[in-house]
Amino acid sequence: MPPYDFDIGIIGGGAAGLTVASGAAQLGAKTLLIEKEKVLGGDCLHYGCVPSKTLIRTAQVYHLMKNSKAYGLPAVKVPPVDFQVVKRRIQSVIDTIQKHDSEERFCSLGAKVEFGEPSFVDEHSVRLNGKPVSAKNWVIATGSSPSIPATEGLDQTPYITNKEIFYLDRLPSSMVILGAGPIAIEMAQAFSRLGTKVTVVQRSGQILTKEDKDMADEIMKVLISEGVTFHLNVSVLRLKDLGSEKEIVLKDGEAKSVSLKAEQILVAMGRDPNVKALGLEGIGVEFDRKGIKVDDRLRTTQKHIYAAGDITGAYQFTHAAGYEGGIVVSNAIFHLPRRANYTFLPWCTYTDPELASVGMNEKRAREAGIDYSVWTEPFKNNDRSLAEGEEVGKIKLLLDRNEKPLGIQILGPQAGELLSEWVAVFNGKVKLSTLAAAVHPYPTLGEISKRVAGTLLSRKIFSDRVRKGLKFFFNLKGRACAGDFPVA
Ligand SMILES: Cc1cc2nc3c(=O)[nH]c(=O)nc-3n(C[C@H](O)[C@H](O)[C@H](O)COP(=O)(O)OP(=O)(O)OC[C@H]3O[C@@H](n4cnc5c(N)ncnc54)[C@H](O)[C@@H]3O)c2cc1C
């Protein structure tokens, strides 16, 4: 009889857990996947990426309808949004993707799926639905939940988080959003475009604090022009339920208090790791406020127990969770030591315009004490961007002292899609001269990447030195516009 029931047990059926389960089962490991909800898919499918991007697209189309005149079309008065219908569209996209993340599919791959909330009883066993289950290796992939601050009155005041916002019965007339990270800012723009009066409340002086200020400020300007109000550098003193409305009292930098009233409050102030009830304290798996501690092979303080995804508190993205799931499969099933490396982990905030990033931005370069230079190219110089009616944004390339690329930030239309070329450039160690010489189709937004790489090289090619050399060797005659026109 084998000493353990399973080769690998995975707790959490979201992006990280599903990646491990699919990889391990297909490699022939006896795999158990445990999920506490009734369906697989996790936050991304049900309360995160999928509903938010579906809502953002709906809001974008509505915004275009309202702004038809800017495209040479007749002005139209659009009827108000019926959120029940929007909600049905969101649900239909979720339902389609759900088939890919179904219990049946994972069973067909060879994994056993169980629903329930397990708790560790020893380093190799959990108690699940009253029964003990053991595995040689375990993976904790339980994700994260919205962080709820201990602000006075919040526990007495109804509020929503990402769990409820896509499932509202009707569009709120007004909403105060606490926090200004990617989730907060994406929702601020989407709901404002749909017709909600949105106010964003932020502790620090910048939205999207991980991004460079110039890029984040551009996004804030766009949102302000669309009607979103911002209160930066403020703290929330207290909240109160007034019945049909809620009151939010702020204190600004000069200690003046400001009272806001709104139908809904969205709390989007970061994420807490889902560690409760797992019994980690009893088996020596260390964690803190941010998440479970892991080494670069994603092993916890118990080497046969791994953690992947949001639960580690590191890079809280679906693609990071998937990447980490792959690292766990390599280490736990293949026994090939593989380390996580986040140097070129990309990400994108799906505002309009989008803000996408790979490698270092100016903030991170400064923090690391790296000397850098910045090369930019605005979207207003890109022909396709103008044809699309998009003039906001720029691409920003950071180079080190040896002119080696450190990172790229793109603020502009379809920035997330445009970033993929740079993901290949960075991971494939492609030279900027190769990118600049590669023919890109005209007119495309992607030409902006070729152009920013080209500006660096054109400085060298069109230098005085090269000009003098060519003049010397080939007797070139120099500038024509100011000279006399030869008459026959
Ligand atoms: C509004 C919003 C928008 C987002 N948009 C994007 C985006 O555009 N792009 C992007 O890359 N990322 C986005 N994210 C982040 C992304 O959703 C997460 O990074 C991703 O879901 C993390 O995957 P995970 O597997 O770690 O956790 P999850 O997907 O949360 O999966 C964890 C699973 O574990 C289960 N679980 C929890 N506790 C237990 C327990 N005790 N026992 C058993 N099961 C348990 C949960 O029910 C869940 O199914 C967004 C997040 C939010 C909230």
Side-chain angles (χ1 to χ4, degrees), residues 82-90:
D82 180 349
F83 202 75
Q84 289 284 352
V85 184
V86 174
K87 203 162 75 168
R88 280 206 292 278
R89 172 166 187 264
I90 293 174

Side-chain angles (χ1 to χ4, degrees), residues 39-295:
V39 282
L40 300 176
D43 248 26
C44 179
L45 179 57
H46 300 285
Y47 312 107
C49 333
V50 174
S52 65
K53 268 74 253 181
T54 310
L55 181 81
I56 284 169
R57 178 66 180 146
T58 292
Q60 196 178 33
V61 172
Y62 192 60
H63 179 73
L64 287 174
M65 286 163 70
K66 287 188 285 184
N67 289 282
S68 54
K69 260 183 93 177
Y71 297 85
L73 296 169
V76 280
K77 192 162 167 26
V78 290
V81 167
D82 180 349
F83 202 75
Q84 289 284 352
V85 184
V86 174
K87 203 162 75 168
R88 280 206 292 278
R89 172 166 187 264
I90 293 174
Q91 194 58 55
S92 84
V93 176
I94 293 174
D95 292 346
T96 307
I97 301 174
Q98 180 74 74
K99 292 183 194 105
H100 188 260
D101 289 352
S102 66
E103 184 186 349
E104 296 72 36
R105 179 167 167 267
F106 278 83
C107 189
S108 75
L109 295 175
K112 172 92 182 132
V113 180
E114 285 287 326
F115 293 93
E117 266 188 84
S119 184
F120 280 95
V121 288
D122 63 46
E123 293 101 82
H124 282 282
S125 314
V126 297
R127 179 159 289 279
L128 175 67
N129 301 326
K131 292 190 197 125
V133 188
S134 64
K136 181 166 177 259
N137 290 110
W138 282 96
V139 184
I140 305 169
T142 48
S144 64
S145 295
S147 199
I148 306 301
T151 313
E152 185 188 325
L154 187 58
D155 55 345
Q156 312 283 323
T157 311
Y159 62 86
I160 56 171
T161 67
N162 67 296
K163 287 245 161 178
E164 295 81 22
I165 193 162
F166 307 110
Y167 302 96
L168 296 172
D169 286 335
R170 59 192 196 87
L171 187 77
S173 58
S174 54
M175 177 155 56
V176 165
I177 301 182
L178 304 183
I183 297 171
I185 297 302
E186 286 181 3
M187 290 303 99
Q189 187 176 42
F191 274 85
S192 165
R193 286 181 163 191
L194 291 174
T196 301
K197 176 87 199 82
V198 175
T199 306
V200 176
V201 169
Q202 163 76 334
R203 252 185 313 227
S204 73
Q206 186 196 315
I207 65 165
L208 303 172
T209 49
K210 290 197 173 120
E211 308 291 349
D212 284 343
K213 190 164 175 350
D214 57 334
M215 303 300 237
D217 283 354
E218 267 314 302
I219 293 182
M220 192 166 80
K221 259 198 252 165
V222 171
L223 266 64
I224 290 172
S225 74
E226 292 182 11
V228 178
T229 306
F230 288 86
H231 290 270
L232 304 185
N233 291 311
V234 293
S235 50
V236 181
L237 284 181
R238 59 185 175 276
L239 297 102
K240 198 170 175 190
D241 185 8
L242 303 176
S244 60
E245 281 192 322
K246 287 104 197 164
E247 185 187 31
I248 303 99
V249 181
L250 312 175
K251 190 176 76 176
D252 69 14
E254 281 122 43
K256 276 193 288 192
S257 71
V258 179
S259 162
L260 306 173
K261 292 194 179 72
E263 184 185 331
Q264 287 285 6
I265 299 170
L266 171 68
V267 179
M269 299 183 69
R271 312 282 300 173
D272 288 340
N274 292 333
V275 285
K276 270 190 219 126
L278 287 169
L280 299 182
E281 300 85 349
I283 57 161
V285 169
E286 284 178 25
F287 61 91
D288 60 20
R289 206 173 43 82
K290 287 185 79 183
I292 294 181
K293 292 184 183 164
V294 286
D295 64 13

Side-chain angles (χ1 to χ4, degrees), residues 154-470:
L154 187 58
D155 55 345
Q156 312 283 323
T157 311
Y159 62 86
I160 56 171
T161 67
N162 67 296
K163 287 245 161 178
E164 295 81 22
I165 193 162
F166 307 110
Y167 302 96
L168 296 172
D169 286 335
R170 59 192 196 87
L171 187 77
S173 58
S174 54
M175 177 155 56
V176 165
I177 301 182
L178 304 183
I183 297 171
I185 297 302
E186 286 181 3
M187 290 303 99
Q189 187 176 42
F191 274 85
S192 165
R193 286 181 163 191
L194 291 174
T196 301
K197 176 87 199 82
V198 175
T199 306
V200 176
V201 169
Q202 163 76 334
R203 252 185 313 227
S204 73
Q206 186 196 315
I207 65 165
L208 303 172
T209 49
K210 290 197 173 120
E211 308 291 349
D212 284 343
K213 190 164 175 350
D214 57 334
M215 303 300 237
D217 283 354
E218 267 314 302
I219 293 182
M220 192 166 80
K221 259 198 252 165
V222 171
L223 266 64
I224 290 172
S225 74
E226 292 182 11
V228 178
T229 306
F230 288 86
H231 290 270
L232 304 185
N233 291 311
V234 293
S235 50
V236 181
L237 284 181
R238 59 185 175 276
L239 297 102
K240 198 170 175 190
D241 185 8
L242 303 176
S244 60
E245 281 192 322
K246 287 104 197 164
E247 185 187 31
I248 303 99
V249 181
L250 312 175
K251 190 176 76 176
D252 69 14
E254 281 122 43
K256 276 193 288 192
S257 71
V258 179
S259 162
L260 306 173
K261 292 194 179 72
E263 184 185 331
Q264 287 285 6
I265 299 170
L266 171 68
V267 179
M269 299 183 69
R271 312 282 300 173
D272 288 340
N274 292 333
V275 285
K276 270 190 219 126
L278 287 169
L280 299 182
E281 300 85 349
I283 57 161
V285 169
E286 284 178 25
F287 61 91
D288 60 20
R289 206 173 43 82
K290 287 185 79 183
I292 294 181
K293 292 184 183 164
V294 286
D295 64 13
D296 55 6
R297 286 165 62 183
L298 301 180
R299 297 174 302 184
T300 67
T301 40
Q302 284 286 357
K303 298 291 174 221
H304 66 287
I305 303 180
Y306 294 80
D310 278 15
I311 189 70
T312 67
Y315 293 88
Q316 295 186 314
F317 304 106
T318 294
H319 47 278
Y323 169 67
E324 291 170 354
I327 303 271
V328 170
V329 172
S330 288
N331 288 318
I333 307 296
F334 273 116
H335 298 279
L336 289 175
R338 202 176 142 206
R339 296 171 203 285
N341 179 348
Y342 301 99
T343 313
F344 297 126
L345 186 95
W347 68 72
C348 184
T349 300
Y350 297 90
T351 41
D352 178 11
E354 294 178 353
L355 176 51
S357 162
V358 62
M360 285 197 173
N361 60 13
E362 290 193 67
K363 251 185 198 174
R364 287 191 288 280
R366 273 198 298 269
E367 273 161 24
I370 295 174
D371 267 356
Y372 64 87
S373 60
V374 177
W375 299 81
T376 61
E377 182 64 31
F379 272 94
K380 65 176 165 35
N381 288 353
N382 176 280
D383 294 359
R384 182 56 182 273
S385 197
L386 295 178
E388 296 287 321
E390 306 280 357
E391 292 188 24
V392 177
K394 63 183 174 195
I395 187 166
K396 188 156 116 178
L397 168 66
L398 257 69
L399 302 177
D400 70 8
R401 246 193 289 175
N402 303 316
E403 299 197 330
K404 212 175 125 235
L406 289 168
I408 270 283
Q409 324 297 308
I410 310 176
L411 172 69
Q414 299 187 40
E417 304 294 336
L418 295 177
L419 194 70
S420 295
E421 184 169 23
W422 289 97
V423 170
V425 164
F426 282 105
N427 284 285
K429 299 189 173 58
V430 176
K431 284 192 183 147
L432 288 180
S433 54
T434 309
L435 176 61
V439 180
H440 286 57
Y442 176 84
T444 54
L445 298 170
E447 284 179 296
I448 199 166
S449 299
K450 175 181 162 75
R451 190 114 177 220
V452 76
T455 47
L456 169 71
L457 300 171
S458 60
R459 189 191 52 154
K460 290 178 185 161
I461 293 170
F462 302 119
S463 66
D464 272 356
R465 216 161 132 207
V466 173
R467 252 198 309 263
K468 278 180 191 154
L470 289 173

